[in-house]
Amino acid sequence: MGPLSRSKTLKYGVPMLLLIVGGSFGLREFTQVRYDVQKVKRKIDPGLEAQLSKNKDKITVESEYQKLQERNFDDWVNIRGPRPWEDSKTYQEQLRKT
């Protein structure tokens, strides 16, 4: 048993330092896997992507606004959902009749 084996720095400090540095590299690898998986999930089939982009051009804010202007909201009634203790079917039917 030499003086190096009795040193607290070698006994506790070096393993702690290795744990911190090794943990840092380990966390980097795990987070990189996470981002790689997200990148793979975002990829879409090129045919489907082309079809989606083609349909996206047809819908505009102006066309949706025109649809809303054509609707008649004067006779619209707000019907709330039932409470947990109320029967949903009978309550909604009762509100629709009034």
Side-chain angles (χ1 to χ4, degrees), residues 9 12-13 19 24 29 37 45 47 50 57 66 72 81 83 89 98:
T9 303
Y12 298 111
L19 183 68
S24 170
E29 292 300 319
V37 168
D45 181 36
D57 295 338
Q66 291 296 330
N72 184 12
R83 301 283 199 274
K89 297 285 184 189
T98 59

Side-chain angles (χ1 to χ4, degrees), residues 10-74:
L10 286 179
K11 192 173 185 181
Y12 298 111
V14 172
M16 182 61 132
L17 189 62
L18 287 174
L19 183 68
I20 291 171
V21 172
S24 170
F25 285 109
L27 282 175
R28 186 185 64 175
E29 292 300 319
F30 280 120
T31 55
Q32 187 63 44
V33 168
R34 174 182 165 196
Y35 292 123
D36 291 343
V37 168
Q38 286 179 356
K39 194 180 296 182
V40 168
K41 283 185 178 180
R42 286 188 191 144
K43 289 186 180 177
I44 299 176
D45 181 36
L48 179 63
E49 188 174 3
Q51 187 178 8
L52 287 174
S53 66
K54 189 182 347 173
N55 289 340
K56 191 182 284 186
D57 295 338
K58 294 179 182 177
I59 300 173
T60 62
V61 174
E62 290 81 15
S63 65
E64 291 298 314
Y65 181 68
Q66 291 296 330
K67 287 180 189 177
L68 285 173
Q69 279 188 330
E70 293 169 4
R71 286 186 161 178
N72 184 12
F73 291 110
D74 293 334

